[in-house]
Amino acid sequence: MKRETRLIHTGRAAAQSGLVNAAIARASTILAESTAELYAPSDGRKTYGRGGMEPAGQLGQVLAELYQADHVALAPSGLASVVLAIRAAVIAPGEALVPDSVYKPVRAFCDAELPRLGVTPIYYDPRAGADIEALVTDRTVLILLESPGSLTFEVQDIAAITSIAQERSIATVIDDTWSAGVLMNPLDLGVDYAAQSLTKYAGGHSDLLMGSVAARGGAAKQVEACARLNGLHVSPDDCFLVLRGLRTLTLRLERSGANGLELARRLEDHPKIARVLHPALESHPDHELYKRQFSGCAGCFSVILDGIGPREGEAIADSLHLFGIGFSWGGFESLVLPCDRQLVRTAVPWQAEGALVRFSTGLEAVDDLWADIEQALDA
């Protein structure tokens, strides 16, 4: 069956009294009939609420089907999912190679917590590809990827990097939020742990926080154990919302991606735009790599304003009406984020003609979104 069909029909319990959507069960304590049953070897029966109630189990089934994974661990946020994957993957002491374009909160974790775990973060050019081998040493225990970068949209050569990692028995983790597991399957490209923020496209309505980590084989067992040992738990109500969002994910992602690409093409021709950072555009330096790895595009991209500084870029964002100003992306509503305050680079200096502004296109009519952008740029 096609992915769209599997997303709708996977993870629907047979014994639901005819309910189309998952029934929500909330519990901490789960009573046993006897002490013997309470302490019996696990046979799949739930013994405590932290282990996940329905619809958490059904959500895990859908995500496992999406990634063709052996196990999917759930985490209370997208950041928590990347952190969980890193914790499951790293073996101290050693070094972790981290792309310079990495999500800023993940960078903060790498800088503050990895050294406490006995691991030194080393930042690398996200466009390194096979050249990353020059940075690999006997101390390298992890290679982190994020493709495309969530602010500057560099596309990484995942297959080239994972090939080197596998030859050296180095674990790999990717933040796969932009593709939502739909536009690309990193596990098929050799990645060990695929994390994504379910807060974004999977949830789709800007009303929950959650993340997931998909893995196969030994990595699947490792992330399952790590999530259990760290006491991670997600709300059954939030699982219900993500599960419901997944049923329409492909439609929303298609509309959001089409809106974003249309706006990106129009912005390329606007005199106040120096560059549009959208990997689906032929002008993007990683466009050919993007075509090899992705089956389509998400609705999140950035622009560099021509000769317009960060403060003026923020004023343009303030002038928008349909684009809300806020963090996150992937919801039904369009958002804008001036990014210069977010940028941190240590391996590859960031050089641009002006302010960096990120757009996340929602499901509105594209001509209305374009009219809003035009008036803000002209204001």
Side-chain angles (χ1 to χ4, degrees):
M1 291 187 290
K2 299 292 186 181
R3 183 188 298 110
E4 296 88 335
T5 305
R6 289 186 280 118
L7 278 174
I8 289 174
H9 290 278
T10 303
R12 295 172 65 175
Q16 283 193 11
S17 302
L19 298 180
V20 173
N21 293 309
I24 297 174
R26 305 180 187 89
S28 55
T29 299
I30 301 172
L31 299 176
E33 293 295 329
S34 66
T35 304
E37 182 184 79
L38 182 67
Y39 286 105
S42 176
D43 58 359
R45 189 183 72 84
K46 301 293 185 182
T47 58
Y48 193 64
R50 188 177 59 240
M53 306 299 296
E54 297 301 336
Q58 294 171 39
L59 175 57
Q61 290 176 32
V62 177
L63 292 170
E65 176 68 23
L66 181 65
Y67 280 100
Q68 294 294 286
D70 293 329
H71 181 73
V72 172
L74 300 177
S77 69
L79 171 60
S81 70
V82 179
V83 169
L84 169 61
I86 292 173
R87 285 187 176 275
V90 296
I91 300 175
E95 297 172 345
L97 300 181
V98 183
D100 213 19
S101 55
V102 72
Y103 179 50
K104 188 177 179 182
V106 173
R107 189 184 194 109
F109 170 82
C110 292
D111 288 341
E113 288 298 309
L114 280 184
R116 288 163 53 89
L117 299 175
V119 178
T120 303
I122 296 175
Y123 292 93
Y124 68 90
D125 182 348
R127 291 195 167 101
D131 292 338
I132 199 172
E133 189 167 19
L135 299 176
V136 173
T137 71
D138 292 339
R139 287 180 48 79
T140 306
V141 296
L142 171 70
I143 300 177
L144 183 63
L145 303 97
E146 181 180 299
S147 187
S150 59
L151 296 181
T152 46
F153 293 89
E154 298 92 343
V155 178
Q156 296 197 256
D157 193 337
I158 298 169
I161 292 173
T162 58
S163 176
I164 293 167
Q166 289 170 349
E167 289 176 1
R168 305 288 289 270
S169 298
I170 299 168
T172 50
V173 171
I174 191 169
D175 184 337
D176 184 42
T177 303
W178 195 79
S179 99
V182 172
L183 305 175
M184 173 183 68
N185 188 342
L187 301 185
D188 288 342
L189 295 175
V191 174
D192 295 310
Y193 302 88
Q196 73 156 298
S197 174
L198 302 175
T199 307
K200 309 295 194 297
Y201 280 114
H205 292 76
S206 303
D207 54 5
L208 64 94
L209 293 167
M210 197 181 298
S212 65
V213 183
R216 297 171 181 166
K221 295 178 181 178
Q222 185 70 14
V223 75
E224 181 180 12
C226 189
R228 182 174 60 254
L229 290 172
N230 282 275
L232 295 187
H233 172 68
V234 293
S235 160
D237 298 80
D238 288 344
C239 287
F240 175 92
L241 292 175
V242 176
L243 193 59
R244 185 171 65 175
L246 284 170
R247 307 306 189 190
T248 60
L249 172 59
T250 54
L251 284 174
R252 290 184 289 101
L253 190 56
E254 181 179 352
R255 174 64 177 267
S256 174
N259 276 356
L261 186 56
E262 176 62 23
L263 292 179
R265 293 194 186 282
R266 296 185 189 187
L267 283 164
E268 273 198 307
D269 296 327
H270 197 285
K272 290 188 178 179
I273 302 300
R275 280 186 283 159
V276 179
L277 307 180
H278 192 312
L281 291 177
E282 293 79 1
S283 59
H284 192 280
D286 306 322
H287 179 65
E288 292 303 317
L289 182 58
Y290 157 81
K291 288 197 300 182
R292 293 202 304 269
Q293 291 185 354
F294 293 88
S295 62
C297 62
C300 191
F301 67 97
S302 290
V303 300
I304 298 173
L305 301 171
D306 192 5
I308 298 173
R311 291 185 63 184
E312 291 79 11
E314 292 179 6
I316 289 173
D318 291 343
S319 299
L320 290 163
H321 303 303
L322 295 180
F323 289 82
I325 301 172
F327 297 110
S328 198
W329 38 278
F332 61 85
E333 81 295 356
S334 293
L335 297 175
V336 64
L337 179 68
C339 298
D340 289 277
R341 300 194 200 195
Q342 295 283 104
L343 284 172
V344 180
R345 293 299 174 94
T346 55
V348 185
W350 174 249
Q351 297 178 335
E353 300 86 338
L356 179 69
V357 178
R358 187 180 73 185
F359 291 98
S360 170
T361 52
L363 309 182
E364 302 93 338
V366 69
D367 287 339
D368 292 333
L369 295 176
W370 176 243
D372 193 28
I373 291 175
E374 279 195 307
Q375 67 80 26
L377 289 172
D378 292 342

